[in-house]
Amino acid sequence: LYAKMEDSIRREMLAIFKLNGYQLKPSVSLNTCQHLIWPTIRLLNHELFTIDEPSVFNAKKYQLRTVESLCGFQGSLKSTVIVGMMSQLKHHTFHLEDLTGDIEMNLTETNFQPGLYVENMIVMVEGFVSDSILHATTIGFPPIESAEQSLNHLDNMDLFGGQKEIKELNLNELSQLEETFDAMFIFLSDIFLDSPKVRKALNCLFDGFSENDPSQLLFFVFSGEFLSEYYGIQQASVLQDGFKALADIVVNYPNLVKRAQFIFIPSSADAVFTDTIPRQPLLPSVVAPFKSKVQNCTLATNPCRIRYLSHRIVVFREDIVSRICRNSFYMPNEMENIPEHKH
């Protein structure tokens, strides 16, 4: 993301860091910058944190310190937190990296706040420094910031991307346009196109929406899996037949064919070139029977971004909790509460 930013945005962000006393080291990797830029900006604007030393005027605040400022430091970090990315720069040895450098960590006496922790995650650390090693006493997550707060801090800077003519409009203008157009997004997942029961349910769904206001814009966002089981070498062929059956259902509703947009997002079990993230769209040859009859069809990646006027939507079809658990180096004691972790 940082590498793809416009030069003007990148310069403005670097100016923010320098204004707050941050000096980016040339040795800091691009990957570290990409992970740390936004959390750092959020904390610099948060009421609980300051870059100044606590005083009688800000006694209830925590001081944000950089890794660079810990060089040669010995002792406890009172009312101080260090924000950085936890990574294993050496085998079985965690380091805390920020925009100014890195420091080795000792986690033997660490109290982890509730959550799932994986490598390369952004954390806040409290503790003390001894022999150039950061002994973490408490590790937690940075506070969450709403999208509205982020946009206000960045002066409504557009970081989502999209068409140029939309980007040139501000949020107020986009909100006014939304009052002119009536639109609805319908999100569905596990659309088993090889199941007669599912196809019957889709027929009922389309029948209901076909009776809506003809001027209403409809967006059907279909996420995989698109087959109820694995068919081996016949997977692509069966999936192609499924999209043909879906097209036969949709063409029965001419209003939907004209005014509805269909977006297909693959899962790991669908016919794609690779299972790496972001996953590539469904093969055009697989969806060809549908696209030949319904022109308003988009084959999206997984994850993908959808922008409708002032609304920004990210769709990611993945069992994220399961993936995080497999790669977590710290698991909470109460396993039944894992799905409740929101970070």
Side-chain angles (χ1 to χ4, degrees), residues 251-271:
V251 294
N252 292 326
Y253 305 98
N255 286 336
L256 294 183
V257 175
K258 292 180 180 179
R259 63 189 176 95
Q261 296 282 341
F262 294 86
I263 303 169
F264 297 103
I265 302 172
S267 71
S268 59
D270 297 310

Side-chain angles (χ1 to χ4, degrees), residues 266-268 272-280 301-304 314-320 323-324 326-327:
S267 71
S268 59
V272 294
F273 286 112
T274 177
D275 192 35
T276 58
I277 295 176
R279 294 190 179 92
Q280 296 302 302
T301 59
N302 181 19
C304 73
V314 176
V315 183
F316 186 22
R317 183 67 176 95
E318 181 65 45
D319 187 352
I320 300 178
R323 181 180 288 269
I324 291 178
R326 289 198 303 268
N327 295 279

Side-chain angles (χ1 to χ4, degrees), residues 88-318:
Q88 293 193 59
L89 300 184
K90 298 178 182 178
H91 189 54
H92 292 315
T93 303
F94 277 99
H95 285 69
L96 187 70
E97 291 185 88
D98 71 359
L99 298 170
T100 65
D102 65 86
I103 186 172
E104 184 178 336
M105 301 180 70
N106 185 317
L107 305 178
T108 55
E109 302 293 332
T110 303
N111 174 35
F112 287 89
Q113 297 299 311
L116 296 169
Y117 293 83
V118 297
E119 191 175 348
N120 295 329
M121 180 173 281
I122 306 300
V123 295
M124 296 194 309
V125 181
E126 293 182 276
F128 62 94
V129 179
S130 177
D131 297 328
S132 299
I133 297 177
L134 175 59
H135 296 259
T137 55
T138 304
I139 292 181
F141 295 108
I144 297 174
E145 183 178 78
S146 67
E148 290 76 14
Q149 290 174 314
S150 297
L151 290 173
N152 288 334
H153 293 153
L154 296 173
D155 195 23
N156 289 322
M157 187 187 305
D158 183 16
L159 304 174
F160 196 78
Q163 297 179 359
K164 182 178 180 181
E165 55 268 23
I166 294 180
K167 292 171 64 176
E168 291 175 349
L169 299 174
N170 60 40
L171 289 178
N172 291 331
E173 292 172 327
L174 293 173
S175 298
Q176 292 175 1
L177 286 175
E178 289 175 7
E179 298 177 0
T180 306
F181 300 100
D182 183 18
M184 179 180 293
F185 283 82
I186 302 95
F187 293 89
L188 300 171
S189 64
D190 293 330
I191 311 299
F192 299 145
L193 299 178
D194 59 334
S195 169
K197 182 179 179 180
V198 171
R199 292 198 296 267
K200 182 179 179 180
L202 288 173
N203 196 35
C204 294
L205 176 73
F206 294 142
D207 185 60
F209 280 105
S210 66
E211 298 177 358
N212 285 10
D213 183 358
S215 63
Q216 185 182 48
L217 299 175
L218 295 175
F219 298 86
F220 291 95
V221 183
F222 290 166
S223 301
E225 303 173 6
F226 291 105
L227 295 178
S228 60
E229 58 182 287
Y230 182 64
Y231 291 90
I233 61 174
Q234 299 296 323
Q235 183 85 351
S237 176
V238 175
L239 187 56
Q240 188 179 53
D241 293 339
F243 276 104
K244 182 179 183 301
L246 179 62
D248 293 338
I249 296 174
V250 176
V251 294
N252 292 326
Y253 305 98
N255 286 336
L256 294 183
V257 175
K258 292 180 180 179
R259 63 189 176 95
Q261 296 282 341
F262 294 86
I263 303 169
F264 297 103
I265 302 172
S267 71
S268 59
D270 297 310
V272 294
F273 286 112
T274 177
D275 192 35
T276 58
I277 295 176
R279 294 190 179 92
Q280 296 302 302
L282 292 168
L283 299 175
S285 59
V286 170
V287 193
F290 181 88
K291 206 165 186 178
S292 63
K293 297 181 179 180
V294 183
Q295 299 298 318
N296 299 328
C297 171
T298 301
L299 305 182
T301 59
N302 181 19
C304 73
R305 297 177 297 169
I306 300 174
R307 178 167 184 166
Y308 175 73
L309 297 180
S310 67
H311 294 280
R312 300 166 175 85
I313 305 169
V314 176
V315 183
F316 186 22
R317 183 67 176 95
E318 181 65 45

